[in-house]
Amino acid sequence: MTPPGAGVRATARIVARDDGRGGTALPVLESDGPLALRRTRGSGAETRVMLVGAMSGPLGGDHFTVEADIREGARLRLGSAAATIALPGQTKGEARYDVRLTVADGGELHWLPEQLISAGGSDLCVTTRIDLGATSRLVLREEQVLGRAGEEPGRLSSRLVLRVVGRTVLDQELACGPGAPGGWDGPAVLAGHRAVGQLLVVRPEFAEEPVTAQVLGQGAIVVPLAGPAALVTAVAPDALLLRRVLDEALAALNA
């Protein structure tokens, strides 16, 4: 039982496997507290799951975890029904949101949640860890919005770690808002923008034919990573423009 005043602890778990008939089965689909998982209509071999927030949060002191295990040959598209809003809570201290994604050889995962909004007075640490096999496929989108309309942001720190066959090919952190290291809002980082996003694309063919580092439109850049991966980083004045930039970047990578 969670001690009084310690915040909410919740873990949602998904296991996806090949059903042997050309589709994907979900032997494990466990919701917990404010993290509700709902299966939706899929397409072909791909199964779709929506993460629905059953209550507000994460608040100060909360610790949310989402775990997805994609087995060999399975295909899963995982999204969220609405934006996640980090809010201040009665409990002092930071909130935590951990995402742990594992994709076996021949598996495919699209992790496409809606934006994470850092409301004024909040303090949230987000960590996303991904472990892939040599022939895994991944499309991952992260979008973070600093403050609601007319509001100063809370403190937000995020870390993204990607490992392919046990080898770390990406490990980066960004901290924004009050108390973050100086310069986060300067020309070398966000340059005054209030929306920042990343698109991580992993495909086996990138190992033989890496993408070319280039600027994509206004405010986005794509770089190849060591191994079969490419990373797009983008900044924009608001969430709507950020999504447009990332969608255009994904279309360019799919060309």
mmCIF file of all heavy atoms in Angstrom, residues 153-190:
data_model
loop_
_atom_site.group_PDB
_atom_site.id
_atom_site.type_symbol
_atom_site.label_atom_id
_atom_site.label_comp_id
_atom_site.label_asym_id
_atom_site.label_seq_id
_atom_site.Cartn_x
_atom_site.Cartn_y
_atom_site.Cartn_z
ATOM 1 N N PRO A 153 6.500 27.577 -17.464
ATOM 2 C CA PRO A 153 6.542 26.124 -17.296
ATOM 3 C C PRO A 153 6.975 25.711 -15.901
ATOM 4 O O PRO A 153 7.559 26.501 -15.145
ATOM 5 C CB PRO A 153 7.595 25.697 -18.325
ATOM 6 C CG PRO A 153 8.530 26.863 -18.408
ATOM 7 C CD PRO A 153 7.646 28.079 -18.263
ATOM 8 N N GLY A 154 6.695 24.450 -15.581
ATOM 9 C CA GLY A 154 7.286 23.845 -14.404
ATOM 10 C C GLY A 154 8.672 23.332 -14.745
ATOM 11 O O GLY A 154 9.196 23.567 -15.840
ATOM 12 N N ARG A 155 9.256 22.596 -13.821
ATOM 13 C CA ARG A 155 10.557 21.973 -14.096
ATOM 14 C C ARG A 155 10.304 20.618 -14.756
ATOM 15 O O ARG A 155 9.510 19.809 -14.267
ATOM 16 C CB ARG A 155 11.357 21.787 -12.811
ATOM 17 C CG ARG A 155 12.691 21.068 -13.025
ATOM 18 C CD ARG A 155 13.487 20.945 -11.744
ATOM 19 N NE ARG A 155 14.620 20.044 -11.898
ATOM 20 C CZ ARG A 155 15.803 20.384 -12.388
ATOM 21 N NH1 ARG A 155 15.991 21.630 -12.792
ATOM 22 N NH2 ARG A 155 16.781 19.510 -12.480
ATOM 23 N N LEU A 156 10.993 20.384 -15.858
ATOM 24 C CA LEU A 156 10.830 19.148 -16.604
ATOM 25 C C LEU A 156 12.203 18.632 -17.014
ATOM 26 O O LEU A 156 12.980 19.338 -17.656
ATOM 27 C CB LEU A 156 9.980 19.377 -17.860
ATOM 28 C CG LEU A 156 9.813 18.185 -18.805
ATOM 29 C CD1 LEU A 156 9.095 17.041 -18.117
ATOM 30 C CD2 LEU A 156 9.075 18.606 -20.076
ATOM 31 N N SER A 157 12.496 17.405 -16.627
ATOM 32 C CA SER A 157 13.727 16.763 -17.088
ATOM 33 C C SER A 157 13.351 15.470 -17.790
ATOM 34 O O SER A 157 12.453 14.747 -17.347
ATOM 35 C CB SER A 157 14.682 16.489 -15.922
ATOM 36 O OG SER A 157 14.094 15.615 -14.969
ATOM 37 N N SER A 158 14.010 15.187 -18.897
ATOM 38 C CA SER A 158 13.708 13.986 -19.662
ATOM 39 C C SER A 158 15.002 13.317 -20.102
ATOM 40 O O SER A 158 15.990 13.983 -20.428
ATOM 41 C CB SER A 158 12.836 14.315 -20.878
ATOM 42 O OG SER A 158 13.528 15.166 -21.766
ATOM 43 N N ARG A 159 14.950 11.990 -20.112
ATOM 44 C CA ARG A 159 16.099 11.197 -20.559
ATOM 45 C C ARG A 159 15.600 10.136 -21.522
ATOM 46 O O ARG A 159 14.586 9.476 -21.260
ATOM 47 C CB ARG A 159 16.809 10.542 -19.371
ATOM 48 C CG ARG A 159 18.063 9.751 -19.760
ATOM 49 C CD ARG A 159 18.710 9.119 -18.551
ATOM 50 N NE ARG A 159 19.931 8.397 -18.929
ATOM 51 C CZ ARG A 159 20.631 7.636 -18.094
ATOM 52 N NH1 ARG A 159 20.235 7.516 -16.823
ATOM 53 N NH2 ARG A 159 21.718 6.996 -18.503
ATOM 54 N N LEU A 160 16.310 9.958 -22.630
ATOM 55 C CA LEU A 160 15.960 8.977 -23.649
ATOM 56 C C LEU A 160 17.170 8.089 -23.890
ATOM 57 O O LEU A 160 18.244 8.578 -24.241
ATOM 58 C CB LEU A 160 15.550 9.678 -24.946
ATOM 59 C CG LEU A 160 15.192 8.794 -26.143
ATOM 60 C CD1 LEU A 160 14.012 7.888 -25.823
ATOM 61 C CD2 LEU A 160 14.888 9.660 -27.362
ATOM 62 N N VAL A 161 16.972 6.777 -23.678
ATOM 63 C CA VAL A 161 18.065 5.817 -23.825
ATOM 64 C C VAL A 161 17.634 4.733 -24.807
ATOM 65 O O VAL A 161 16.575 4.124 -24.645
ATOM 66 C CB VAL A 161 18.438 5.167 -22.473
ATOM 67 C CG1 VAL A 161 19.590 4.180 -22.658
ATOM 68 C CG2 VAL A 161 18.802 6.219 -21.439
ATOM 69 N N LEU A 162 18.463 4.486 -25.816
ATOM 70 C CA LEU A 162 18.206 3.438 -26.798
ATOM 71 C C LEU A 162 19.381 2.478 -26.829
ATOM 72 O O LEU A 162 20.536 2.895 -26.973
ATOM 73 C CB LEU A 162 18.010 4.051 -28.189
ATOM 74 C CG LEU A 162 17.982 3.063 -29.363
ATOM 75 C CD1 LEU A 162 16.764 2.154 -29.285
ATOM 76 C CD2 LEU A 162 18.028 3.805 -30.701
ATOM 77 N N ARG A 163 19.045 1.183 -26.707
ATOM 78 C CA ARG A 163 20.056 0.141 -26.838
ATOM 79 C C ARG A 163 19.614 -0.842 -27.924
ATOM 80 O O ARG A 163 18.453 -1.237 -27.962
ATOM 81 C CB ARG A 163 20.266 -0.611 -25.519
ATOM 82 C CG ARG A 163 20.771 0.267 -24.377
ATOM 83 C CD ARG A 163 21.328 -0.552 -23.235
ATOM 84 N NE ARG A 163 20.359 -1.542 -22.753
ATOM 85 C CZ ARG A 163 20.653 -2.478 -21.849
ATOM 86 N NH1 ARG A 163 21.886 -2.567 -21.356
ATOM 87 N NH2 ARG A 163 19.723 -3.319 -21.440
ATOM 88 N N VAL A 164 20.567 -1.214 -28.775
ATOM 89 C CA VAL A 164 20.315 -2.185 -29.836
ATOM 90 C C VAL A 164 21.263 -3.358 -29.619
ATOM 91 O O VAL A 164 22.482 -3.183 -29.617
ATOM 92 C CB VAL A 164 20.515 -1.571 -31.230
ATOM 93 C CG1 VAL A 164 20.268 -2.611 -32.312
ATOM 94 C CG2 VAL A 164 19.594 -0.361 -31.427
ATOM 95 N N VAL A 165 20.700 -4.527 -29.410
ATOM 96 C CA VAL A 165 21.466 -5.739 -29.097
ATOM 97 C C VAL A 165 22.424 -5.464 -27.922
ATOM 98 O O VAL A 165 23.605 -5.821 -27.978
ATOM 99 C CB VAL A 165 22.219 -6.281 -30.327
ATOM 100 C CG1 VAL A 165 22.645 -7.745 -30.092
ATOM 101 C CG2 VAL A 165 21.374 -6.209 -31.571
ATOM 102 N N GLY A 166 21.934 -4.779 -26.915
ATOM 103 C CA GLY A 166 22.722 -4.508 -25.717
ATOM 104 C C GLY A 166 23.692 -3.357 -25.830
ATOM 105 O O GLY A 166 24.335 -2.975 -24.847
ATOM 106 N N ARG A 167 23.813 -2.767 -27.008
ATOM 107 C CA ARG A 167 24.750 -1.664 -27.216
ATOM 108 C C ARG A 167 24.015 -0.333 -27.155
ATOM 109 O O ARG A 167 23.016 -0.143 -27.859
ATOM 110 C CB ARG A 167 25.429 -1.810 -28.579
ATOM 111 C CG ARG A 167 26.395 -0.675 -28.916
ATOM 112 C CD ARG A 167 26.837 -0.785 -30.367
ATOM 113 N NE ARG A 167 27.753 0.276 -30.743
ATOM 114 C CZ ARG A 167 28.107 0.561 -31.989
ATOM 115 N NH1 ARG A 167 27.599 -0.159 -32.981
ATOM 116 N NH2 ARG A 167 28.935 1.549 -32.252
ATOM 117 N N THR A 168 24.489 0.575 -26.339
ATOM 118 C CA THR A 168 23.855 1.891 -26.223
ATOM 119 C C THR A 168 24.216 2.743 -27.431
ATOM 120 O O THR A 168 25.394 2.993 -27.702
ATOM 121 C CB THR A 168 24.308 2.608 -24.937
ATOM 122 O OG1 THR A 168 23.936 1.822 -23.807
ATOM 123 C CG2 THR A 168 23.645 3.971 -24.822
ATOM 124 N N VAL A 169 23.185 3.176 -28.171
ATOM 125 C CA VAL A 169 23.415 4.022 -29.346
ATOM 126 C C VAL A 169 22.891 5.445 -29.122
ATOM 127 O O VAL A 169 23.185 6.340 -29.912
ATOM 128 C CB VAL A 169 22.776 3.422 -30.613
ATOM 129 C CG1 VAL A 169 23.400 2.076 -30.926
ATOM 130 C CG2 VAL A 169 21.278 3.295 -30.474
ATOM 131 N N LEU A 170 22.127 5.657 -28.044
ATOM 132 C CA LEU A 170 21.652 6.998 -27.712
ATOM 133 C C LEU A 170 21.393 7.075 -26.214
ATOM 134 O O LEU A 170 20.759 6.188 -25.640
ATOM 135 C CB LEU A 170 20.355 7.317 -28.462
ATOM 136 C CG LEU A 170 19.698 8.676 -28.142
ATOM 137 C CD1 LEU A 170 20.568 9.825 -28.642
ATOM 138 C CD2 LEU A 170 18.300 8.764 -28.761
ATOM 139 N N ASP A 171 21.887 8.117 -25.595
ATOM 140 C CA ASP A 171 21.621 8.387 -24.169
ATOM 141 C C ASP A 171 21.740 9.891 -23.988
ATOM 142 O O ASP A 171 22.834 10.432 -23.909
ATOM 143 C CB ASP A 171 22.618 7.655 -23.274
ATOM 144 C CG ASP A 171 22.248 7.739 -21.794
ATOM 145 O OD1 ASP A 171 21.413 8.610 -21.430
ATOM 146 O OD2 ASP A 171 22.788 6.955 -20.999
ATOM 147 N N GLN A 172 20.595 10.562 -23.949
ATOM 148 C CA GLN A 172 20.631 12.010 -23.859
ATOM 149 C C GLN A 172 19.587 12.524 -22.867
ATOM 150 O O GLN A 172 18.569 11.887 -22.631
ATOM 151 C CB GLN A 172 20.433 12.658 -25.219
ATOM 152 C CG GLN A 172 19.054 12.499 -25.821
ATOM 153 C CD GLN A 172 18.905 13.270 -27.138
ATOM 154 O OE1 GLN A 172 19.882 13.498 -27.849
ATOM 155 N NE2 GLN A 172 17.693 13.664 -27.448
ATOM 156 N N GLU A 173 19.875 13.678 -22.307
ATOM 157 C CA GLU A 173 18.995 14.284 -21.317
ATOM 158 C C GLU A 173 18.755 15.746 -21.657
ATOM 159 O O GLU A 173 19.607 16.415 -22.254
ATOM 160 C CB GLU A 173 19.607 14.192 -19.920
ATOM 161 C CG GLU A 173 19.696 12.797 -19.356
ATOM 162 C CD GLU A 173 20.169 12.802 -17.913
ATOM 163 O OE1 GLU A 173 19.421 13.291 -17.034
ATOM 164 O OE2 GLU A 173 21.283 12.320 -17.665
ATOM 165 N N LEU A 174 17.594 16.254 -21.264
ATOM 166 C CA LEU A 174 17.258 17.663 -21.402
ATOM 167 C C LEU A 174 16.495 18.089 -20.153
ATOM 168 O O LEU A 174 15.566 17.410 -19.723
ATOM 169 C CB LEU A 174 16.391 17.903 -22.639
ATOM 170 C CG LEU A 174 15.877 19.337 -22.843
ATOM 171 C CD1 LEU A 174 17.040 20.287 -23.114
ATOM 172 C CD2 LEU A 174 14.865 19.392 -23.989
ATOM 173 N N ALA A 175 16.925 19.200 -19.561
ATOM 174 C CA ALA A 175 16.236 19.747 -18.396
ATOM 175 C C ALA A 175 15.820 21.181 -18.696
ATOM 176 O O ALA A 175 16.609 21.971 -19.220
ATOM 177 C CB ALA A 175 17.140 19.715 -17.159
ATOM 178 N N CYS A 176 14.558 21.508 -18.396
ATOM 179 C CA CYS A 176 14.009 22.827 -18.692
ATOM 180 C C CYS A 176 13.232 23.337 -17.486
ATOM 181 O O CYS A 176 12.795 22.571 -16.632
ATOM 182 C CB CYS A 176 13.062 22.772 -19.896
ATOM 183 S SG CYS A 176 13.761 22.075 -21.392
ATOM 184 N N GLY A 177 13.039 24.646 -17.443
ATOM 185 C CA GLY A 177 12.201 25.237 -16.410
ATOM 186 C C GLY A 177 12.977 25.684 -15.194
ATOM 187 O O GLY A 177 14.205 25.601 -15.146
ATOM 188 N N PRO A 178 12.284 26.172 -14.160
ATOM 189 C CA PRO A 178 12.933 26.688 -12.952
ATOM 190 C C PRO A 178 13.863 25.662 -12.315
ATOM 191 O O PRO A 178 13.506 24.500 -12.152
ATOM 192 C CB PRO A 178 11.751 26.994 -12.034
ATOM 193 C CG PRO A 178 10.587 27.184 -12.941
ATOM 194 C CD PRO A 178 10.813 26.255 -14.084
ATOM 195 N N GLY A 179 15.078 26.090 -12.014
ATOM 196 C CA GLY A 179 16.042 25.207 -11.385
ATOM 197 C C GLY A 179 16.860 24.377 -12.341
ATOM 198 O O GLY A 179 17.805 23.696 -11.920
ATOM 199 N N ALA A 180 16.528 24.404 -13.633
ATOM 200 C CA ALA A 180 17.307 23.659 -14.617
ATOM 201 C C ALA A 180 18.626 24.385 -14.868
ATOM 202 O O ALA A 180 18.741 25.589 -14.629
ATOM 203 C CB ALA A 180 16.526 23.522 -15.920
ATOM 204 N N PRO A 181 19.650 23.663 -15.328
ATOM 205 C CA PRO A 181 20.932 24.317 -15.621
ATOM 206 C C PRO A 181 20.751 25.492 -16.568
ATOM 207 O O PRO A 181 19.900 25.469 -17.467
ATOM 208 C CB PRO A 181 21.747 23.191 -16.282
ATOM 209 C CG PRO A 181 21.166 21.934 -15.736
ATOM 210 C CD PRO A 181 19.700 22.220 -15.572
ATOM 211 N N GLY A 182 21.545 26.544 -16.357
ATOM 212 C CA GLY A 182 21.435 27.749 -17.162
ATOM 213 C C GLY A 182 21.652 27.489 -18.642
ATOM 214 O O GLY A 182 22.395 26.594 -19.035
ATOM 215 N N GLY A 183 20.960 28.256 -19.466
ATOM 216 C CA GLY A 183 21.130 28.154 -20.902
ATOM 217 C C GLY A 183 20.097 27.313 -21.601
ATOM 218 O O GLY A 183 20.086 27.249 -22.842
ATOM 219 N N TRP A 184 19.178 26.668 -20.843
ATOM 220 C CA TRP A 184 18.195 25.796 -21.498
ATOM 221 C C TRP A 184 17.271 26.568 -22.438
ATOM 222 O O TRP A 184 16.764 26.007 -23.407
ATOM 223 C CB TRP A 184 17.365 25.050 -20.452
ATOM 224 C CG TRP A 184 16.476 25.934 -19.617
ATOM 225 C CD1 TRP A 184 16.795 26.532 -18.437
ATOM 226 C CD2 TRP A 184 15.134 26.322 -19.912
ATOM 227 N NE1 TRP A 184 15.742 27.270 -17.960
ATOM 228 C CE2 TRP A 184 14.704 27.167 -18.846
ATOM 229 C CE3 TRP A 184 14.238 26.069 -20.942
ATOM 230 C CZ2 TRP A 184 13.433 27.738 -18.805
ATOM 231 C CZ3 TRP A 184 12.968 26.623 -20.912
ATOM 232 C CH2 TRP A 184 12.582 27.447 -19.842
ATOM 233 N N ASP A 185 17.064 27.854 -22.162
ATOM 234 C CA ASP A 185 16.184 28.658 -23.004
ATOM 235 C C ASP A 185 16.967 29.533 -23.977
ATOM 236 O O ASP A 185 16.391 30.355 -24.683
ATOM 237 C CB ASP A 185 15.300 29.544 -22.113
ATOM 238 C CG ASP A 185 14.036 30.001 -22.832
ATOM 239 O OD1 ASP A 185 13.633 29.320 -23.802
ATOM 240 O OD2 ASP A 185 13.461 31.026 -22.441
ATOM 241 N N GLY A 186 18.284 29.341 -24.022
ATOM 242 C CA GLY A 186 19.133 30.181 -24.861
ATOM 243 C C GLY A 186 19.209 29.689 -26.300
ATOM 244 O O GLY A 186 18.604 28.683 -26.672
ATOM 245 N N PRO A 187 19.970 30.393 -27.131
ATOM 246 C CA PRO A 187 20.038 30.080 -28.559
ATOM 247 C C PRO A 187 20.628 28.708 -28.868
ATOM 248 O O PRO A 187 20.364 28.147 -29.934
ATOM 249 C CB PRO A 187 20.919 31.204 -29.131
ATOM 250 C CG PRO A 187 21.665 31.756 -27.951
ATOM 251 C CD PRO A 187 20.765 31.593 -26.780
ATOM 252 N N ALA A 188 21.403 28.140 -27.950
ATOM 253 C CA ALA A 188 22.015 26.840 -28.208
ATOM 254 C C ALA A 188 21.083 25.672 -27.903
ATOM 255 O O ALA A 188 21.384 24.528 -28.265
ATOM 256 C CB ALA A 188 23.297 26.686 -27.396
ATOM 257 N N VAL A 189 19.948 25.942 -27.232
ATOM 258 C CA VAL A 189 19.040 24.852 -26.859
ATOM 259 C C VAL A 189 17.651 25.126 -27.446
ATOM 260 O O VAL A 189 17.369 24.755 -28.577
ATOM 261 C CB VAL A 189 18.985 24.664 -25.329
ATOM 262 C CG1 VAL A 189 18.175 23.413 -24.974
ATOM 263 C CG2 VAL A 189 20.402 24.513 -24.764
ATOM 264 N N LEU A 190 16.768 25.808 -26.712
ATOM 265 C CA LEU A 190 15.404 26.006 -27.200
ATOM 266 C C LEU A 190 15.196 27.343 -27.910
ATOM 267 O O LEU A 190 14.193 27.507 -28.605
ATOM 268 C CB LEU A 190 14.411 25.888 -26.045
ATOM 269 C CG LEU A 190 14.345 24.531 -25.347
ATOM 270 C CD1 LEU A 190 13.209 24.516 -24.337
ATOM 271 C CD2 LEU A 190 14.177 23.410 -26.343
#
